[in-house]
Amino acid sequence: EVHLVESGGGLVQPGGSLSLSCAASGFTFRNYWMHWVRQAPGEGLVLVSRINPDGSYTNNADSVKGRFSISRDNAKNTVSLQMDSLRVDDTALYYCVRGASDWIGIDYWGQGILVTVSS
Amino acid sequence: DIVMTQTPLSSPVTLGQSASISCRSDQSLLHSDGDTYLSWLQQRPGQPPRLLIYKISNRFSGVPDRFSGSGAGTDFTLKISRVEAEDVGIYYCMQATQFPHTFGQGTKLEIK
């Protein structure tokens, strides 16, 4: 069974940094794209960042370019999101999401981790 | 970015009846590889989203056949037959044809 467990969230001041981590199990992690999707309180879903299976290629949404960085450790089955220069509007529930294997898209979601940016 | 627009934003349905949700993209979702990467997700209250349908009409693992998807190009529909109480939640369409993958604003399904 696919499991994705996020950690590292919390309260941070504007301009601060935070690092999220996602521990994956139940599948061959090194074969899959991984994504971070966020959901602001009461709002919809926004793809933030993605990384290819071997970690050599990443994409970030324009809203986080230059501030967020995604990485992965295939030996430890983890994917991380380093978030710098955080803004109040980065406040959201951050989901770790697996890329689909046989089509372009996403399939399994973690439970999410809350990031609150506030002074 | 591709803009996804869902209608209605709220859909009150009687238990046992059907519900339909529309999703329109502002450009074609037909990929150069010939597939169309339009998915539907369900988010029950307090839960993370769950994949229901991928590539317009393919049900994901474990999804009941009460859920069906259709459409092509820029217009897509999710139909839920024989609505049950557990179907309450917010439904999102999502395109993955072009990065960034983008989502509709969500349709809230509630029981009358």
Side-chain angles (χ1 to χ4, degrees), chain A residues 35 37 39 43-47 50 59-62 95 102-111, chain B residues 1 31 33 37 39 41 43 47-51 54-55 60-61 92 94 96 99-101 103 105:
Chain A
H35 306 70
V37 175
Q39 185 171 35
E43 300 294 322
L45 302 163
V46 177
L47 177 65
R50 69 174 181 176
N59 285 118
N60 292 299
D62 286 346
Y95 294 103
D102 299 326
W103 73 94
I104 301 173
I106 54 181
D107 53 22
Y108 290 96
W109 295 63
Q111 288 295 312
Chain B
D1 297 2
H31 193 275
D33 67 9
Y37 296 105
S39 297
L41 301 100
Q43 186 172 32
Q47 294 294 314
R50 163 200 177 200
L51 178 65
Y54 64 95
K55 289 201 297 182
F60 191 55
S61 174
Y92 296 92
M94 186 203 86
F99 187 85
H101 306 340
F103 300 83
Q105 67 272 59

Side-chain angles (χ1 to χ4, degrees), chain B residues 21-91:
Chain B
I21 300 169
S22 294
C23 176
R24 178 167 289 179
S25 55
D26 67 350
Q27 54 187 278
S28 176
L29 299 186
L30 179 63
H31 193 275
S32 57
D33 67 9
D35 273 321
T36 299
Y37 296 105
L38 185 282
S39 297
W40 289 96
L41 301 100
Q42 175 197 61
Q43 186 172 32
R44 291 172 172 151
Q47 294 294 314
R50 163 200 177 200
L51 178 65
L52 295 176
I53 302 282
Y54 64 95
K55 289 201 297 182
I56 302 177
S57 59
N58 296 271
R59 274 187 299 277
F60 191 55
S61 174
V63 175
D65 60 7
R66 300 186 295 104
F67 293 89
S68 61
S70 63
T74 61
D75 288 284
F76 306 91
T77 301
L78 174 70
K79 182 177 179 183
I80 310 170
S81 302
R82 306 180 303 279
V83 167
E84 300 180 1
E86 66 177 19
D87 299 335
V88 165
I90 301 176
Y91 290 80

